[in-house]
Amino acid sequence: MLEDKLNAARRARRQHIVKIAASVTGILVLSAVALVFSTSCCDFAKKDVADVEEVLERQPPVTLPVADTSVDDPAARQQYLDMLNQYQNELEPGLASIDLAGWQPGKVKRLTELKDAAFNEFAAANYAGALKRIKQATSLTEELIRTAGEEFQQAMTAAQIAYEKDDFDNARQQVVKAQMLNKASPEAKQLAEKINALGEILPLLKQASVAQVENNAEKELAIIEEILSLAPDREKQQARKQELLTRLSLQRYQSHIANAFAAIEKEDASAARKHINNARQIYPNRSEVKDVNSALVALEKEQRFARHARLATEAMREDNWEKAKQELTLALAEKPDDKTLKDLLQQTEIILSLQAQMERHLASPYRLADAGVIAQARTALAEAQAYREESIKLDRTASELSTLIDNMNKNVDVVVKSDNKTNVLVRGVGIVGMTDSKTIQLKPGSYKFEGKREGYKSKLIDVLVPYDKNQMQLTVVCDEPI
């Protein structure tokens, strides 16, 4: 703390004064003792007395310290400390933002003298003197801060006016002064940056004027944009930029419309769409955009129809009727009234339906043991006859189903083995009886063979007679006693 440093300086000064007083007192005491001794001893030689006197005469004259007569005024002392604290916390930060040495070098010297004098007075315990000096320093500092603020505002105003008039030299001079008066001002820093940019802008303004005379709108716009990148707030250039943008936008719009119509004539839908989108970004609601877009929609519709019809034809040639159905459906979405496409789609759906029916029969062959199921399969085969030449896959499936139906209707030799004690029967079909071996004929399908014998548990066997074999064998014996 500053107060602690001042107190320490004061104590050191008083201790120094006390040391000097003690030294002088000691010398006086020794001199007195020597004088008394010389007068009381008569047997001393005169030469010795002369030597002592000579020594005393060679001692430098002693100046006694002047007692500190200042009044140790606690009130003045505290008032000084309060003002010093206020000065350091409130006024000195204000001075820190001012280039005082560049602005008022004479006042810097005076302010330093006042602060040093206040410090020295306080160290000497002259609190009234210290208070007087700190008041003078405070008054001078307040005056400097106030004057700096006024001159700062004047310099900022002058710099802004010069900047707006493109007076680079005067604007720069004034803003330098403003920054000297307030080094921390963000406004001054911002204005200085704008004025510095003005040095680059002035040559660009001349170039823009030349481009305008040459009627080179794109070049002029590029220069103006460069100017605005350096100084976005230049209203005249902002207005000129908008004017140029409008002119160039109209030129680009008209060019895109013309190019879009040309692309449609060449059936280049992609290029036409690109030009239309570019034109729409410039003027989205103008009639030319709507007209050329309608022409493009018609072209794209025709192209989609042709593409789906072509893909459907290719799919039918490849016997891919599922894909053919998809492409025909898409083509009809473009031209719902096209009769040829409707007939092809109907034929495609019939082929797909018959193919699915016959594949279901082939997947469950033993269902054909049922008369009703066989009837359905025969109907599908009859309907498929008209389309077998259109689809190789349908023709092959129909052949497989026809063969399966024939196989399901032929008899298979079933050899039943037993112990001649078990009575064997086929549920729902007939009795085999007791036998060692007997061959019966059954059509392919599922059957239940049952064996019975008195005193033994009955036996039930599920048997699948295959359609792809001519003979099979099984054994039915009741051999588990009750």
Side-chain angles (χ1 to χ4, degrees):
M1 294 296 291
L2 179 60
E3 183 180 357
D4 294 335
K5 292 180 179 180
L6 292 173
N7 288 331
R10 179 186 173 192
R11 286 193 299 271
R13 184 173 180 276
R14 286 182 173 177
Q15 289 173 1
H16 181 64
I17 293 171
V18 170
K19 287 180 179 179
I20 293 173
S23 298
V24 172
T25 302
I27 292 171
L28 291 175
V29 170
L30 289 174
S31 299
V33 170
L35 182 59
V36 171
F37 183 76
S38 64
T39 55
S40 60
C41 299
C42 57
D43 56 343
F44 269 94
K46 293 180 179 180
K47 184 178 178 180
D48 293 336
V49 174
D51 291 340
V52 173
E53 290 177 352
E54 184 180 354
V55 171
L56 290 175
E57 287 176 0
R58 287 200 302 266
Q59 294 298 322
V62 177
T63 303
L64 294 176
V66 180
D68 188 355
T69 59
S70 62
V71 180
D72 191 353
D73 186 351
R77 179 180 183 279
Q78 186 59 46
Q79 189 175 0
Y80 166 80
L81 292 175
D82 291 342
M83 287 196 69
L84 179 61
N85 184 60
Q86 182 181 9
Y87 182 88
Q88 291 175 332
N89 293 330
E90 298 178 11
L91 295 181
E92 280 191 340
L95 281 180
S97 65
I98 303 172
D99 182 6
L100 203 57
W103 176 48
Q104 294 282 5
K107 297 293 178 67
V108 173
K109 181 179 179 182
R110 175 58 179 160
L111 191 59
T112 302
E113 290 173 351
L114 288 172
K115 291 192 291 184
D116 290 345
F119 182 86
N120 292 333
E121 294 286 3
F122 187 89
N126 185 4
Y127 302 131
L131 180 59
K132 178 181 178 181
R133 299 305 184 191
I134 196 62
K135 285 182 178 180
Q136 291 174 336
T138 298
S139 177
L140 178 57
T141 301
E142 290 174 343
E143 178 187 354
L144 289 171
I145 292 174
R146 180 177 63 257
T147 304
E150 293 171 354
E151 293 188 15
F152 170 77
Q153 293 298 333
Q154 294 169 2
M156 285 290 289
T157 301
Q160 182 65 39
I161 293 173
Y163 169 75
E164 293 172 358
K165 293 180 179 180
D166 292 337
D167 185 353
F168 174 74
D169 292 335
N170 190 25
R172 183 173 178 80
Q173 180 181 356
Q174 293 296 331
V175 81
V176 167
K177 181 179 179 181
Q179 287 188 300
M180 179 175 63
L181 295 168
N182 190 342
K183 297 183 291 184
S185 170
E187 294 82 3
K189 180 181 178 182
Q190 183 178 8
L191 182 56
E193 291 173 353
K194 291 165 62 176
I195 292 172
N196 289 335
L198 184 60
E200 300 180 50
I201 291 171
L202 293 177
L204 293 173
L205 290 173
K206 293 181 180 180
Q207 296 176 27
S209 297
V210 173
Q212 184 174 2
V213 172
E214 295 173 348
N215 198 27
N216 191 337
E218 291 184 353
K219 180 179 179 181
E220 183 184 357
L221 178 61
I223 295 171
I224 288 177
E225 287 180 338
E226 187 176 355
I227 292 171
L228 292 175
S229 69
L230 296 170
D233 59 347
R234 295 185 69 89
E235 296 181 358
K236 184 177 180 180
Q237 279 66 46
Q238 288 175 349
R240 181 60 178 168
K241 176 183 177 180
Q242 292 304 315
E243 180 182 343
L244 291 170
L245 285 174
T246 300
R247 183 197 303 178
L248 292 172
S249 294
L250 180 59
Q251 292 176 359
R252 289 195 296 270
Y253 172 80
Q254 293 171 341
S255 176
H256 285 308
I257 294 297
N259 290 333
F261 275 117
I264 289 172
E265 290 180 2
K266 296 177 182 178
E267 296 186 358
D268 189 348
S270 176
R273 174 63 63 191
K274 179 180 178 180
H275 286 298
I276 290 173
N277 288 337
N278 290 334
R280 184 179 284 116
Q281 289 178 0
I282 300 171
Y283 295 117
N285 299 318
R286 294 189 63 160
S287 60
E288 297 89 350
V289 173
K290 297 178 182 178
D291 294 341
V292 71
N293 190 67
S294 297
L296 176 61
V297 168
L299 172 64
E300 290 178 332
K301 185 179 184 69
E302 187 64 34
Q303 288 179 336
R304 287 194 300 271
F305 172 80
R307 182 173 65 255
H308 292 313
R310 174 176 55 80
L311 292 174
T313 301
E314 292 175 358
M316 287 186 286
R317 278 200 298 265
E318 295 169 358
D319 205 18
N320 188 346
W321 295 92
E322 190 63 47
K323 182 173 176 58
K325 178 182 178 181
Q326 295 174 359
E327 296 298 337
L328 288 169
T329 301
L330 293 171
L332 279 170
E334 304 298 337
K335 291 187 177 181
D337 298 328
D338 191 296
K339 186 177 184 306
T340 300
L341 289 180
K342 287 183 178 180
D343 293 343
L344 286 174
L345 179 60
Q346 183 179 11
Q347 172 185 308
T348 300
E349 289 175 339
I350 291 172
I351 290 174
L352 288 171
S353 176
L354 291 172
Q355 179 73 27
Q357 290 180 50
M358 290 189 289
E359 286 178 352
R360 285 196 297 271
H361 289 307
L362 291 173
S364 303
Y366 291 103
R367 292 184 67 251
L368 293 172
D370 182 89
V373 175
I374 288 180
Q376 293 175 2
R378 293 186 185 281
T379 300
L381 284 172
E383 292 178 357
Q385 190 62 37
Y387 303 99
R388 292 177 69 167
E389 292 184 359
E390 302 293 334
S391 173
I392 296 175
K393 183 178 180 180
L394 182 67
D395 179 65
R396 182 170 58 250
T397 304
S399 297
E400 291 177 1
L401 179 59
S402 179
T403 301
L404 179 61
I405 290 174
D406 292 340
N407 289 336
M408 289 298 294
N409 281 280
K410 72 178 182 180
N411 289 323
V412 177
D413 290 338
V414 179
V415 178
V416 181
K417 297 285 187 177
S418 186
D419 58 357
N420 210 19
K421 299 177 183 179
T422 300
N423 188 25
V424 181
L425 61 88
V426 183
R427 286 186 179 181
V429 176
I431 298 174
V432 177
M434 289 185 292
T435 181
D436 290 330
S437 177
K438 186 176 182 179
T439 300
I440 63 175
Q441 291 186 328
L442 296 174
K443 289 183 178 182
S446 298
Y447 297 90
K448 289 185 181 293
F449 282 73
E450 185 178 7
K452 294 183 178 181
R453 179 182 177 185
E454 187 174 352
Y456 290 82
K457 291 182 179 180
S458 298
K459 183 170 289 188
L460 188 63
I461 301 175
D462 290 323
V463 177
L464 179 64
V465 177
Y467 64 87
D468 54 352
K469 293 182 179 180
N470 295 323
Q471 186 182 44
M472 69 167 292
Q473 178 178 309
L474 74 153
T475 300
V476 182
V477 174
C478 293
D479 54 2
E480 185 179 353
I482 298 175

